[in-house]
Amino acid sequence: MATEERPDESPPDRPEILCVSLGWFESRERAQALLERLPALSEPTSTIVASERVLPPLNWVLIPPQPREEALRQFRDIQRQGIDSYLVTQGEYRNAISLGLFESRDAAISVLEEKKRQNLNAVLVKYDRNQISYALNFEAERKRADTLVRAAQTEFGADFDFIEINPCKGVARAGKNP
Protein backbone atom coordinates (compact mmCIF):
# COMPACT_ATOMS: atom_id res chain seq x y z
CA MET A 1 0.00 0.00 0.00
CA ALA A 2 1.42 3.38 -1.03
CA THR A 3 1.72 6.11 1.55
CA GLU A 4 0.58 9.59 0.71
CA GLU A 5 2.77 12.53 1.74
CA ARG A 6 0.86 15.34 3.36
CA PRO A 7 1.94 18.93 2.71
CA ASP A 8 2.02 19.82 6.42
CA GLU A 9 4.55 17.13 7.20
CA SER A 10 8.14 18.28 7.35
CA PRO A 11 10.82 16.34 5.50
CA PRO A 12 13.12 14.07 7.46
CA ASP A 13 15.62 15.95 9.60
CA ARG A 14 18.54 17.12 7.52
CA PRO A 15 21.61 18.78 8.94
CA GLU A 16 21.35 22.55 8.94
CA ILE A 17 23.65 24.09 6.36
CA LEU A 18 25.33 27.34 7.32
CA CYS A 19 26.93 29.95 5.10
CA VAL A 20 30.35 31.00 6.37
CA SER A 21 32.32 34.04 5.27
CA LEU A 22 35.91 34.86 6.34
CA GLY A 23 37.76 38.04 5.46
CA TRP A 24 39.70 39.97 4.61
CA PHE A 25 42.51 38.67 2.45
CA GLU A 26 44.74 41.21 0.71
CA SER A 27 44.84 39.13 -2.47
CA ARG A 28 42.89 36.43 -4.27
CA GLU A 29 46.06 34.30 -4.19
CA ARG A 30 46.19 34.44 -0.40
CA ALA A 31 42.58 33.26 -0.12
CA GLN A 32 43.27 30.54 -2.70
CA ALA A 33 46.32 29.41 -0.71
CA LEU A 34 44.13 28.91 2.36
CA LEU A 35 41.73 26.81 0.30
CA GLU A 36 44.63 24.67 -0.90
CA ARG A 37 46.06 24.20 2.60
CA LEU A 38 42.65 23.21 4.01
CA PRO A 39 41.18 20.66 1.59
CA ALA A 40 38.00 20.47 3.71
CA LEU A 41 37.19 24.01 2.51
CA SER A 42 37.68 23.14 -1.16
CA GLU A 43 34.14 22.05 -1.77
CA PRO A 44 31.96 23.03 -4.73
CA THR A 45 30.29 25.68 -2.57
CA SER A 46 33.57 27.47 -1.74
CA THR A 47 34.04 30.80 -3.48
CA ILE A 48 36.41 33.72 -3.26
CA VAL A 49 34.59 37.04 -3.49
CA ALA A 50 36.19 40.40 -4.28
CA SER A 51 34.80 43.51 -2.62
CA GLU A 52 35.83 47.14 -2.71
CA ARG A 53 36.31 48.35 0.84
CA VAL A 54 36.11 52.03 1.63
CA LEU A 55 38.84 52.91 4.08
CA PRO A 56 39.23 56.28 5.77
CA PRO A 57 41.43 58.57 3.66
CA LEU A 58 44.95 59.37 4.77
CA ASN A 59 46.31 62.90 5.16
CA TRP A 60 49.16 63.46 2.74
CA VAL A 61 51.73 66.21 3.23
CA LEU A 62 53.44 66.97 -0.06
CA ILE A 63 55.05 69.57 -2.23
CA PRO A 64 52.70 69.93 -5.23
CA PRO A 65 53.64 68.55 -8.66
CA GLN A 66 56.04 70.61 -10.73
CA PRO A 67 58.08 70.15 -13.91
CA ARG A 68 60.19 66.98 -13.67
CA GLU A 69 63.59 68.68 -13.65
CA GLU A 70 62.54 71.13 -10.93
CA ALA A 71 61.00 68.28 -8.87
CA LEU A 72 64.23 66.24 -9.13
CA ARG A 73 66.39 69.24 -8.16
CA GLN A 74 64.21 70.08 -5.15
CA PHE A 75 63.95 66.41 -4.15
CA ARG A 76 67.78 66.09 -4.10
CA ASP A 77 68.09 69.30 -2.04
CA ILE A 78 65.54 68.04 0.48
CA GLN A 79 67.28 64.67 0.72
CA ARG A 80 70.64 66.40 1.37
CA GLN A 81 69.00 68.22 4.29
CA GLY A 82 68.09 64.87 5.78
CA ILE A 83 64.34 65.35 5.33
CA ASP A 84 62.48 62.08 4.83
CA SER A 85 60.82 62.41 1.41
CA TYR A 86 59.86 60.50 -1.71
CA LEU A 87 59.44 61.59 -5.30
CA VAL A 88 56.04 60.60 -6.69
CA THR A 89 56.65 59.01 -10.09
CA GLN A 90 53.14 58.26 -11.36
CA GLY A 91 49.49 59.14 -11.07
CA GLU A 92 47.70 62.40 -10.40
CA TYR A 93 50.53 63.69 -8.19
CA ARG A 94 53.39 62.74 -10.51
CA ASN A 95 56.46 64.89 -9.80
CA ALA A 96 55.18 65.89 -6.37
CA ILE A 97 57.40 65.32 -3.35
CA SER A 98 55.81 63.30 -0.57
CA LEU A 99 56.67 64.35 2.96
CA GLY A 100 54.45 61.81 4.73
CA LEU A 101 51.10 60.02 4.92
CA PHE A 102 49.20 60.18 8.20
CA GLU A 103 46.05 58.62 9.60
CA SER A 104 45.76 61.46 12.10
CA ARG A 105 44.88 64.86 10.68
CA ASP A 106 46.48 66.52 13.71
CA ALA A 107 49.78 64.73 13.06
CA ALA A 108 49.66 65.77 9.39
CA ILE A 109 49.00 69.40 10.30
CA SER A 110 51.90 69.34 12.75
CA VAL A 111 54.27 68.07 10.03
CA LEU A 112 52.83 70.55 7.52
CA GLU A 113 53.55 73.46 9.88
CA GLU A 114 57.08 72.17 10.51
CA LYS A 115 57.76 71.91 6.74
CA LYS A 116 56.44 75.43 6.17
CA ARG A 117 58.85 76.69 8.88
CA GLN A 118 61.60 75.01 6.82
CA ASN A 119 60.47 77.16 3.86
CA LEU A 120 59.02 74.22 1.95
CA ASN A 121 55.93 74.89 -0.17
CA ALA A 122 54.02 71.97 1.38
CA VAL A 123 50.27 71.39 1.25
CA LEU A 124 47.87 68.90 2.82
CA VAL A 125 45.71 66.69 0.59
CA LYS A 126 43.38 63.76 1.21
CA TYR A 127 44.67 60.43 -0.07
CA ASP A 128 41.85 58.04 -0.83
CA ARG A 129 42.79 54.47 -0.16
CA ASN A 130 39.86 52.31 -1.10
CA GLN A 131 41.04 48.81 -1.80
CA ILE A 132 39.88 45.55 -3.24
CA SER A 133 39.84 42.85 -0.58
CA TYR A 134 38.81 39.22 -0.75
CA ALA A 135 36.58 37.05 1.38
CA LEU A 136 36.28 33.28 1.42
CA ASN A 137 32.72 31.97 1.42
CA PHE A 138 31.71 28.35 1.95
CA GLU A 139 28.85 26.22 3.20
CA ALA A 140 29.10 23.67 5.98
CA GLU A 141 26.92 21.69 8.31
CA ARG A 142 26.54 23.34 11.69
CA LYS A 143 28.80 20.78 13.38
CA ARG A 144 31.62 21.37 10.89
CA ALA A 145 31.36 25.16 10.51
CA ASP A 146 33.06 26.06 13.81
CA THR A 147 35.74 23.41 13.30
CA LEU A 148 36.53 24.70 9.81
CA VAL A 149 36.67 28.31 11.00
CA ARG A 150 39.11 27.40 13.80
CA ALA A 151 41.25 25.45 11.32
CA ALA A 152 41.25 28.43 8.94
CA GLN A 153 42.28 30.79 11.76
CA THR A 154 45.12 28.47 12.76
CA GLU A 155 46.30 28.03 9.17
CA PHE A 156 45.94 31.73 8.34
CA GLY A 157 48.06 32.58 11.38
CA ALA A 158 46.05 35.63 12.38
CA ASP A 159 42.60 36.80 13.22
CA PHE A 160 40.24 37.66 10.41
CA ASP A 161 38.64 41.10 10.26
CA PHE A 162 35.30 39.34 10.20
CA ILE A 163 33.84 35.87 10.55
CA GLU A 164 30.18 35.44 9.68
CA ILE A 165 28.29 32.20 10.25
CA ASN A 166 24.62 32.40 9.32
CA PRO A 167 21.86 30.14 8.06
CA CYS A 168 21.98 30.13 4.27
CA LYS A 169 19.10 32.10 2.83
CA GLY A 170 17.55 31.97 -0.57
CA VAL A 171 19.25 28.74 -1.54
CA ALA A 172 16.99 26.06 -3.00
CA ARG A 173 17.75 22.69 -1.44
CA ALA A 174 16.07 19.32 -1.56
CA GLY A 175 13.53 19.20 1.22
CA LYS A 176 13.54 22.99 1.52
CA ASN A 177 11.60 23.73 -1.67
CA PRO A 178 7.84 24.36 -1.46
Side-chain angles (χ1 to χ4, degrees):
M1 178 169 154
T3 60
E4 187 177 309
E5 189 175 318
R6 289 188 228 146
D8 61 340
E9 289 181 5
S10 58
D13 284 339
R14 295 177 196 254
E16 181 182 11
I17 301 296
L18 300 176
C19 287
V20 181
S21 188
L22 306 173
W24 294 108
F25 296 90
E26 68 271 5
S27 69
R28 180 176 295 281
E29 292 75 22
R30 187 94 192 255
Q32 185 64 43
L34 179 60
L35 278 176
E36 291 168 5
R37 287 192 305 250
L38 290 174
L41 293 178
S42 297
E43 298 181 13
T45 61
S46 297
T47 58
I48 299 170
V49 179
S51 179
E52 182 175 10
R53 294 193 316 152
V54 178
L55 301 174
L58 293 175
N59 299 282
W60 195 6
V61 178
L62 58 80
I63 297 172
Q66 50 198 320
R68 180 161 174 72
E69 291 306 316
E70 179 59 26
L72 284 169
R73 184 197 62 71
Q74 188 173 18
F75 175 66
R76 288 186 199 111
D77 289 347
I78 291 170
Q79 290 279 302
R80 276 194 289 274
Q81 294 174 42
I83 298 172
D84 193 19
S85 56
Y86 301 91
L87 183 64
V88 180
T89 59
Q90 59 188 355
E92 176 184 357
Y93 291 100
R94 183 177 183 184
N95 295 327
I97 300 170
S98 175
L99 301 171
L101 283 167
F102 304 88
E103 288 185 11
S104 162
R105 182 169 172 78
D106 290 341
I109 289 172
S110 174
V111 169
L112 177 65
E113 290 169 353
E114 174 190 334
K115 299 309 176 194
K116 287 187 179 235
R117 283 192 300 273
Q118 294 172 333
N119 291 321
L120 295 175
N121 181 29
V123 296
L124 180 61
V125 297
K126 290 283 184 193
Y127 180 77
D128 291 327
R129 58 183 187 138
N130 296 349
Q131 70 181 46
I132 302 295
S133 296
Y134 299 86
L136 174 61
N137 297 336
F138 61 92
E139 294 177 9
E141 293 178 12
R142 179 175 291 281
K143 290 189 282 186
R144 286 189 67 218
D146 287 332
T147 302
L148 289 171
V149 167
R150 280 194 301 277
Q153 286 176 304
T154 300
E155 190 61 37
F156 188 65
D159 291 330
F160 291 100
D161 292 331
F162 73 89
I163 299 170
E164 294 177 0
I165 303 174
N166 298 304
C168 295
K169 294 180 182 168
V171 179
R173 298 194 184 291
K176 195 174 175 186
N177 297 335

